[in-house]
Amino acid sequence: MNDPADLTIGAAGAALRGGELTASELLEAVLKRASMTEAHLHSYLTIDREGAVEAAAAADSALRKGDDLGPLHGIPIALKDNMVTRGIETTCSSKILAGYKPPYDATVVERMRQGGAVVVGKTNLDEFAMGSSTENSAYGPTRNPWNTDRVPGGSSGGSTAAVAVGSALAALGSDTGGSIRQPASLCGVVGMKPTYGLVSRYGLIAFASSLDQIGPMTRTVSDAVDVLGVMAGHDPKDATSYRGDLPDFGSGLDGGVEGLRIGVASELSGEGIDTPVVDAFRRTCDALAEAGAKVTELSLPSFEAALSAYYLIAPAECSANLARFDGVRYGLRKEAETVEDMMAATRAEGFGPEVIRRILLGTYALSAGYYDAFYGQAQKVRTLILEDFARAYSEVDVVVSPTSPTTAFEVGARTDDPLSMYLSDLCTIPSNLAGHPAVSVPIGLDEGLPIGFQVMAPALGEQVMFQVAAAVERMAAFDARAPLATSEIS
């Protein structure tokens, strides 16, 4: 058998059930990979070796007794450090939460554990999930395993890099404006944002509550289906949780695309997208047409205003959500003579510059005299985006685009240019504003850096989305491994 750290969830699960591998051996392989790569990447903020060893031993014991908890039984996974974990430090990569050890698990963490998954640790992110490069962490940046001079994307860069390099077989990220899909594209893995409400947000430390959604990051589309199947479903602790029956996410994985209608979002596949990315995207669209899909160009004009609307709505919600970090109840506290001075000092010390920028922008957009002109207008754009999507889905089954306008850019290249950084989310933001599912699948390399293909679908359209994504995966036959995973970077 090859190094177990390089296995997919499906292959590892088969080996575990076939007696060729134990969960403890699989975990040790993953921990060894982490020990070899973390000095280069900084994917993790915390590795819970003791807890993971106990969980792997429990998984082995259960399998010996014939108790199979499902597709994630014995599988090592990583968690983005904005999901609370009982007794394990949860910081959101912020100084303001340094040392915070929650007294409970997020619902998704509970479901991972109940499904037999082995939690390896907590991964690095842009502070409070605000960023597109994982350079905004108070604990230092994560780097891309394809080229450590490049960013892994963000804000779920730590989770993505861990999967790409083999220090986890899967990871959970959160996606507010593309924070799962954009880093998945830059690191050559599969990253998926579910329909809003399909996965509980209870225990996810909020950035923008109407946009945030937790999703899987894996090596294959089939693995993403397995992870989503374990964590999806109604949660009474989340008022926005979907109450209906779950779709059969994986029923079309082998169905191909013959007869399916695929729309190419013209606003997301032309100006502003690097030529090599567009070329790879167009080649994949041609392959889908050759496989029997009806591929047509679509115009969704409201998408041109999506970025502007997002950067009013998300900061407005962030300014409300982050008001709870006041130095009174938990986390950092800077002493001062008055309560107001204490709060001001705590926040000035505890929040990084990007978080402060977004809080100020959001507070301004919500202030008297500006609410209607900014936040109100942005919500109208959100409605137009929903209407454009509705028109599109009356004509096609899915909409496709590049995932990211570029491949991974150099560390430090955009840190002094916020607008340039925000443009990294150009293609992913519309699905968040609409609450729809979307997935990124790797389709090739440009100068050694991965390119992602995005498939978007209507609300609860995960089945057809995964069907198209699986077909793209087969066509691309992307089996390259990040150089750091194969010890090609010294």
Side-chain angles (χ1 to χ4, degrees), residues 141-161:
T142 296
R143 295 182 178 256
N144 193 311
W146 292 86
N147 181 336
T148 54
D149 292 330
R150 306 282 176 142
V151 303
S155 61
S156 306
S159 286
T160 321

Side-chain angles (χ1 to χ4, degrees), residues 357-381:
R357 180 184 293 117
R358 297 199 194 192
I359 290 172
L360 292 175
L361 177 61
T363 303
Y364 182 81
L366 291 173
S367 61
Y370 297 100
Y371 180 97
D372 290 336
F374 294 110
Y375 185 75
Q377 287 296 104
Q379 291 290 12
K380 290 177 181 178
V381 170

Side-chain angles (χ1 to χ4, degrees), residues 47-409:
I47 291 181
D48 181 23
R49 184 182 181 92
E50 182 178 344
V53 167
E54 290 179 4
D60 284 330
S61 177
L63 281 177
R64 284 193 297 269
K65 296 174 184 176
D67 297 331
D68 189 337
L69 300 179
L72 301 189
H73 191 126
I75 302 298
I77 67 164
L79 304 171
K80 187 175 180 179
D81 197 35
N82 60 349
M83 301 169 201
V84 301
T85 41
R86 182 167 56 86
I88 302 173
E89 189 175 19
T90 301
T91 68
C92 285
S93 290
S94 179
K95 291 180 182 178
I96 208 161
L97 278 175
Y100 173 55
K101 294 184 178 180
Y104 68 103
D105 278 333
T107 295
V108 290
V109 178
E110 283 184 354
R111 290 181 178 176
M112 291 294 106
R113 296 191 197 279
Q114 290 166 0
V118 175
V119 175
V120 177
K122 308 294 291 295
T123 57
N124 199 15
L125 65 147
D126 286 297
E127 185 180 6
F128 283 99
M130 298 181 197
S132 303
S133 65
T134 317
E135 294 173 282
N136 293 330
S137 170
Y139 305 105
T142 296
R143 295 182 178 256
N144 193 311
W146 292 86
N147 181 336
T148 54
D149 292 330
R150 306 282 176 142
V151 303
S155 61
S156 306
S159 286
T160 321
V163 174
V165 83
S167 57
L169 267 61
L172 302 190
S174 64
D175 194 310
T176 306
S179 286
I180 290 173
R181 290 160 289 152
Q182 185 256 8
S185 177
L186 270 52
C187 287
V189 302
V190 173
M192 182 263 172
K193 182 196 87 71
T195 299
Y196 183 82
L198 198 62
V199 174
S200 173
R201 291 183 297 109
Y202 181 75
L204 174 68
I205 297 176
F207 163 14
S209 300
S210 76
L211 300 165
D212 299 341
Q213 186 68 123
I214 298 169
M217 313 181 89
T218 61
R219 293 181 186 151
T220 68
V221 173
S222 177
D223 284 356
V225 170
D226 285 341
V227 178
L228 180 62
V230 171
M231 66 180 174
H234 179 65
D235 178 14
K237 296 175 184 174
D238 178 358
T240 62
S241 180
Y242 174 65
R243 294 176 178 271
D245 295 333
L246 295 180
D248 185 352
F249 303 125
S251 62
L253 287 183
D254 299 322
V257 294
E258 187 170 357
L260 289 180
R261 302 167 301 164
I262 297 175
V264 176
S266 59
E267 285 78 10
L268 304 181
S269 52
E271 186 179 351
I273 313 297
D274 281 3
T275 299
V277 174
V278 171
D279 289 347
F281 170 72
R282 292 289 178 184
R283 286 194 298 271
T284 303
C285 290
D286 291 344
L288 288 167
E290 290 172 9
K294 181 182 179 183
V295 179
T296 56
E297 291 277 338
L298 288 176
S299 177
L300 298 101
S302 62
F303 282 19
E304 293 182 356
L307 190 74
S308 299
Y310 173 85
Y311 278 103
L312 286 167
I313 294 170
E317 294 188 12
C318 127
S319 73
N321 279 324
L322 269 61
R324 72 193 69 180
F325 301 106
D326 53 13
V328 175
R329 286 160 287 190
Y330 40 70
L332 179 71
R333 178 187 179 108
K334 302 297 290 184
E335 298 297 340
E337 291 185 3
T338 69
V339 172
E340 284 188 358
D341 288 345
M342 180 274 292
M343 289 183 180
T346 296
R347 288 166 175 163
E349 174 76 16
F351 289 140
E354 181 61 28
V355 172
I356 291 173
R357 180 184 293 117
R358 297 199 194 192
I359 290 172
L360 292 175
L361 177 61
T363 303
Y364 182 81
L366 291 173
S367 61
Y370 297 100
Y371 180 97
D372 290 336
F374 294 110
Y375 185 75
Q377 287 296 104
Q379 291 290 12
K380 290 177 181 178
V381 170
R382 191 174 194 173
T383 299
L384 293 175
I385 289 168
L386 279 162
E387 291 173 351
D388 273 354
F389 264 129
R391 279 191 292 271
Y393 291 131
S394 69
E395 301 174 13
V396 298
D397 299 300
V398 298
V399 174
V400 298
S401 76
T403 308
S404 170
T406 69
T407 55
F409 45 92

